[in-house]
Amino acid sequence: YVFFTFSPASWTNADWYNSTVAANLRLQFAEIGTLTPDEPTLLKYMNDEKWLTVGKTVYVTQCQSCHAAEGKGLVGPAFTDNYYKNVKTITDIAKVVAEGANNGAMPPWGKRLHPNEPVPVSSYVASLRAKQEPGMRIDGGVEIPPWPAAPAAAPAEKPKTP
């Protein structure tokens, strides 16, 4: 009772459901092949709710202990403003996730995660930007330009009529 009521590390039925959904979605990685953490891919997945669920689940299980559930920062920097220390472009997020930063203060996750997980978690982190949260940790950094616009979705093909 104490763990589920008072601990910030506890989980809810919604967390369990999202984790189950994300585990199921990971099975779909075979469908999409190996993801490359380039700008178009990160922007595409940043705007795909299904894959943001996977990214959020990875974030909640691996990142929130340092960066807070809403990305407002605890011992690690916040993601909800426009000031970043180790990120200048959206692709830098995936690089920091994979390789770490600040001489090990941010550990490298590249070998701990499924090879495709850095893309959805990086896309999720990018989606938190500009969502100023109350109680956000202010720790400096350099203001960076906005993320590029997401590529336009290809128009759906119209059914051919005979």
Side-chain angles (χ1 to χ4, degrees), residues 20-38:
T20 303
V21 168
N24 184 38
L25 289 173
R26 283 189 201 109
L27 295 175
Q28 296 179 29
F29 279 149
E31 223 176 86
I32 58 175
T34 302
L35 295 175
T36 305
D38 57 15

PDB file of all heavy atoms in Angstrom, residues 20-38:
ATOM      1  N   THR A  20       2.451  -2.942 -21.608  1.00  0.00           N
ATOM      2  CA  THR A  20       2.014  -4.102 -22.381  1.00  0.00           C
ATOM      3  C   THR A  20       1.841  -3.742 -23.856  1.00  0.00           C
ATOM      4  O   THR A  20       2.260  -4.491 -24.740  1.00  0.00           O
ATOM      5  CB  THR A  20       0.690  -4.661 -21.805  1.00  0.00           C
ATOM      6  OG1 THR A  20       0.908  -4.971 -20.437  1.00  0.00           O
ATOM      7  CG2 THR A  20       0.233  -5.897 -22.544  1.00  0.00           C
ATOM      8  N   VAL A  21       1.254  -2.582 -24.105  1.00  0.00           N
ATOM      9  CA  VAL A  21       1.084  -2.115 -25.483  1.00  0.00           C
ATOM     10  C   VAL A  21       2.448  -1.933 -26.139  1.00  0.00           C
ATOM     11  O   VAL A  21       2.669  -2.354 -27.281  1.00  0.00           O
ATOM     12  CB  VAL A  21       0.270  -0.803 -25.520  1.00  0.00           C
ATOM     13  CG1 VAL A  21       0.332  -0.153 -26.889  1.00  0.00           C
ATOM     14  CG2 VAL A  21      -1.181  -1.061 -25.136  1.00  0.00           C
ATOM     15  N   ALA A  22       3.372  -1.320 -25.408  1.00  0.00           N
ATOM     16  CA  ALA A  22       4.705  -1.097 -25.956  1.00  0.00           C
ATOM     17  C   ALA A  22       5.426  -2.414 -26.237  1.00  0.00           C
ATOM     18  O   ALA A  22       6.102  -2.555 -27.251  1.00  0.00           O
ATOM     19  CB  ALA A  22       5.525  -0.230 -25.018  1.00  0.00           C
ATOM     20  N   ALA A  23       5.276  -3.381 -25.347  1.00  0.00           N
ATOM     21  CA  ALA A  23       5.902  -4.696 -25.575  1.00  0.00           C
ATOM     22  C   ALA A  23       5.344  -5.328 -26.846  1.00  0.00           C
ATOM     23  O   ALA A  23       6.094  -5.918 -27.641  1.00  0.00           O
ATOM     24  CB  ALA A  23       5.671  -5.610 -24.380  1.00  0.00           C
ATOM     25  N   ASN A  24       4.053  -5.188 -27.045  1.00  0.00           N
ATOM     26  CA  ASN A  24       3.435  -5.703 -28.261  1.00  0.00           C
ATOM     27  C   ASN A  24       3.952  -4.953 -29.493  1.00  0.00           C
ATOM     28  O   ASN A  24       4.234  -5.554 -30.526  1.00  0.00           O
ATOM     29  CB  ASN A  24       1.910  -5.587 -28.170  1.00  0.00           C
ATOM     30  CG  ASN A  24       1.228  -6.187 -29.362  1.00  0.00           C
ATOM     31  OD1 ASN A  24       1.658  -7.211 -29.879  1.00  0.00           O
ATOM     32  ND2 ASN A  24       0.164  -5.553 -29.804  1.00  0.00           N
ATOM     33  N   LEU A  25       4.114  -3.646 -29.356  1.00  0.00           N
ATOM     34  CA  LEU A  25       4.605  -2.862 -30.489  1.00  0.00           C
ATOM     35  C   LEU A  25       6.046  -3.204 -30.836  1.00  0.00           C
ATOM     36  O   LEU A  25       6.439  -3.163 -31.994  1.00  0.00           O
ATOM     37  CB  LEU A  25       4.469  -1.369 -30.201  1.00  0.00           C
ATOM     38  CG  LEU A  25       3.037  -0.845 -30.197  1.00  0.00           C
ATOM     39  CD1 LEU A  25       3.004   0.603 -29.740  1.00  0.00           C
ATOM     40  CD2 LEU A  25       2.404  -0.990 -31.554  1.00  0.00           C
ATOM     41  N   ARG A  26       6.823  -3.569 -29.811  1.00  0.00           N
ATOM     42  CA  ARG A  26       8.203  -3.968 -30.096  1.00  0.00           C
ATOM     43  C   ARG A  26       8.240  -5.185 -31.006  1.00  0.00           C
ATOM     44  O   ARG A  26       9.187  -5.355 -31.769  1.00  0.00           O
ATOM     45  CB  ARG A  26       8.953  -4.235 -28.793  1.00  0.00           C
ATOM     46  CG  ARG A  26       9.361  -2.985 -28.095  1.00  0.00           C
ATOM     47  CD  ARG A  26      10.291  -3.276 -26.925  1.00  0.00           C
ATOM     48  NE  ARG A  26      10.239  -2.151 -26.021  1.00  0.00           N
ATOM     49  CZ  ARG A  26       9.669  -2.151 -24.834  1.00  0.00           C
ATOM     50  NH1 ARG A  26       9.138  -3.241 -24.346  1.00  0.00           N
ATOM     51  NH2 ARG A  26       9.648  -1.067 -24.100  1.00  0.00           N
ATOM     52  N   LEU A  27       7.215  -6.016 -30.904  1.00  0.00           N
ATOM     53  CA  LEU A  27       7.138  -7.159 -31.817  1.00  0.00           C
ATOM     54  C   LEU A  27       7.016  -6.692 -33.262  1.00  0.00           C
ATOM     55  O   LEU A  27       7.392  -7.396 -34.192  1.00  0.00           O
ATOM     56  CB  LEU A  27       5.943  -8.052 -31.458  1.00  0.00           C
ATOM     57  CG  LEU A  27       6.009  -8.736 -30.097  1.00  0.00           C
ATOM     58  CD1 LEU A  27       4.704  -9.481 -29.820  1.00  0.00           C
ATOM     59  CD2 LEU A  27       7.191  -9.685 -30.033  1.00  0.00           C
ATOM     60  N   GLN A  28       6.517  -5.498 -33.429  1.00  0.00           N
ATOM     61  CA  GLN A  28       6.347  -4.956 -34.771  1.00  0.00           C
ATOM     62  C   GLN A  28       7.649  -4.389 -35.339  1.00  0.00           C
ATOM     63  O   GLN A  28       7.705  -3.992 -36.499  1.00  0.00           O
ATOM     64  CB  GLN A  28       5.260  -3.885 -34.770  1.00  0.00           C
ATOM     65  CG  GLN A  28       3.901  -4.453 -34.420  1.00  0.00           C
ATOM     66  CD  GLN A  28       2.835  -3.387 -34.399  1.00  0.00           C
ATOM     67  OE1 GLN A  28       2.923  -2.395 -35.112  1.00  0.00           O
ATOM     68  NE2 GLN A  28       1.829  -3.591 -33.579  1.00  0.00           N
ATOM     69  N   PHE A  29       8.709  -4.342 -34.537  1.00  0.00           N
ATOM     70  CA  PHE A  29       9.989  -3.872 -35.052  1.00  0.00           C
ATOM     71  C   PHE A  29      10.425  -4.689 -36.267  1.00  0.00           C
ATOM     72  O   PHE A  29      11.067  -4.167 -37.168  1.00  0.00           O
ATOM     73  CB  PHE A  29      11.082  -3.940 -33.983  1.00  0.00           C
ATOM     74  CG  PHE A  29      11.075  -2.791 -33.013  1.00  0.00           C
ATOM     75  CD1 PHE A  29      11.500  -2.984 -31.725  1.00  0.00           C
ATOM     76  CD2 PHE A  29      10.661  -1.523 -33.387  1.00  0.00           C
ATOM     77  CE1 PHE A  29      11.524  -1.940 -30.814  1.00  0.00           C
ATOM     78  CE2 PHE A  29      10.670  -0.476 -32.492  1.00  0.00           C
ATOM     79  CZ  PHE A  29      11.108  -0.682 -31.197  1.00  0.00           C
ATOM     80  N   ALA A  30      10.099  -5.961 -36.272  1.00  0.00           N
ATOM     81  CA  ALA A  30      10.453  -6.800 -37.415  1.00  0.00           C
ATOM     82  C   ALA A  30       9.788  -6.268 -38.682  1.00  0.00           C
ATOM     83  O   ALA A  30      10.354  -6.348 -39.775  1.00  0.00           O
ATOM     84  CB  ALA A  30      10.046  -8.242 -37.160  1.00  0.00           C
ATOM     85  N   GLU A  31       8.596  -5.707 -38.514  1.00  0.00           N
ATOM     86  CA  GLU A  31       7.842  -5.146 -39.630  1.00  0.00           C
ATOM     87  C   GLU A  31       8.541  -3.939 -40.250  1.00  0.00           C
ATOM     88  O   GLU A  31       8.522  -3.752 -41.463  1.00  0.00           O
ATOM     89  CB  GLU A  31       6.496  -4.675 -39.082  1.00  0.00           C
ATOM     90  CG  GLU A  31       5.296  -4.980 -39.887  1.00  0.00           C
ATOM     91  CD  GLU A  31       4.067  -4.517 -39.131  1.00  0.00           C
ATOM     92  OE1 GLU A  31       3.711  -3.336 -39.274  1.00  0.00           O
ATOM     93  OE2 GLU A  31       3.493  -5.337 -38.396  1.00  0.00           O
ATOM     94  N   ILE A  32       9.130  -3.088 -39.414  1.00  0.00           N
ATOM     95  CA  ILE A  32       9.699  -1.842 -39.909  1.00  0.00           C
ATOM     96  C   ILE A  32      11.193  -1.929 -40.161  1.00  0.00           C
ATOM     97  O   ILE A  32      11.775  -1.004 -40.707  1.00  0.00           O
ATOM     98  CB  ILE A  32       9.400  -0.678 -38.944  1.00  0.00           C
ATOM     99  CG1 ILE A  32       9.953  -0.965 -37.559  1.00  0.00           C
ATOM    100  CG2 ILE A  32       7.933  -0.359 -38.916  1.00  0.00           C
ATOM    101  CD1 ILE A  32       9.812   0.174 -36.579  1.00  0.00           C
ATOM    102  N   GLY A  33      11.815  -3.022 -39.781  1.00  0.00           N
ATOM    103  CA  GLY A  33      13.248  -3.165 -39.999  1.00  0.00           C
ATOM    104  C   GLY A  33      14.045  -2.345 -39.000  1.00  0.00           C
ATOM    105  O   GLY A  33      13.535  -1.901 -37.980  1.00  0.00           O
ATOM    106  N   THR A  34      15.302  -2.128 -39.292  1.00  0.00           N
ATOM    107  CA  THR A  34      16.179  -1.373 -38.411  1.00  0.00           C
ATOM    108  C   THR A  34      15.979   0.117 -38.654  1.00  0.00           C
ATOM    109  O   THR A  34      16.060   0.576 -39.787  1.00  0.00           O
ATOM    110  CB  THR A  34      17.650  -1.754 -38.656  1.00  0.00           C
ATOM    111  OG1 THR A  34      17.787  -3.159 -38.437  1.00  0.00           O
ATOM    112  CG2 THR A  34      18.572  -1.008 -37.720  1.00  0.00           C
ATOM    113  N   LEU A  35      15.730   0.845 -37.574  1.00  0.00           N
ATOM    114  CA  LEU A  35      15.521   2.284 -37.678  1.00  0.00           C
ATOM    115  C   LEU A  35      16.855   3.012 -37.595  1.00  0.00           C
ATOM    116  O   LEU A  35      17.720   2.658 -36.795  1.00  0.00           O
ATOM    117  CB  LEU A  35      14.613   2.767 -36.547  1.00  0.00           C
ATOM    118  CG  LEU A  35      13.186   2.243 -36.560  1.00  0.00           C
ATOM    119  CD1 LEU A  35      12.436   2.709 -35.319  1.00  0.00           C
ATOM    120  CD2 LEU A  35      12.463   2.700 -37.810  1.00  0.00           C
ATOM    121  N   THR A  36      16.984   4.051 -38.398  1.00  0.00           N
ATOM    122  CA  THR A  36      18.156   4.905 -38.375  1.00  0.00           C
ATOM    123  C   THR A  36      17.779   6.197 -37.669  1.00  0.00           C
ATOM    124  O   THR A  36      16.765   6.801 -38.010  1.00  0.00           O
ATOM    125  CB  THR A  36      18.608   5.224 -39.821  1.00  0.00           C
ATOM    126  OG1 THR A  36      18.798   4.000 -40.515  1.00  0.00           O
ATOM    127  CG2 THR A  36      19.887   6.025 -39.832  1.00  0.00           C
ATOM    128  N   PRO A  37      18.564   6.634 -36.709  1.00  0.00           N
ATOM    129  CA  PRO A  37      18.206   7.845 -35.964  1.00  0.00           C
ATOM    130  C   PRO A  37      18.552   9.134 -36.722  1.00  0.00           C
ATOM    131  O   PRO A  37      19.227  10.014 -36.220  1.00  0.00           O
ATOM    132  CB  PRO A  37      19.002   7.713 -34.667  1.00  0.00           C
ATOM    133  CG  PRO A  37      20.188   6.915 -35.049  1.00  0.00           C
ATOM    134  CD  PRO A  37      19.728   5.974 -36.130  1.00  0.00           C
ATOM    135  N   ASP A  38      18.078   9.231 -37.957  1.00  0.00           N
ATOM    136  CA  ASP A  38      18.293  10.446 -38.737  1.00  0.00           C
ATOM    137  C   ASP A  38      17.101  11.386 -38.563  1.00  0.00           C
ATOM    138  O   ASP A  38      16.067  11.012 -38.012  1.00  0.00           O
ATOM    139  CB  ASP A  38      18.549  10.121 -40.210  1.00  0.00           C
ATOM    140  CG  ASP A  38      17.425   9.317 -40.842  1.00  0.00           C
ATOM    141  OD1 ASP A  38      16.323   9.230 -40.263  1.00  0.00           O
ATOM    142  OD2 ASP A  38      17.646   8.778 -41.936  1.00  0.00           O
TER     143      ASP A  38
END
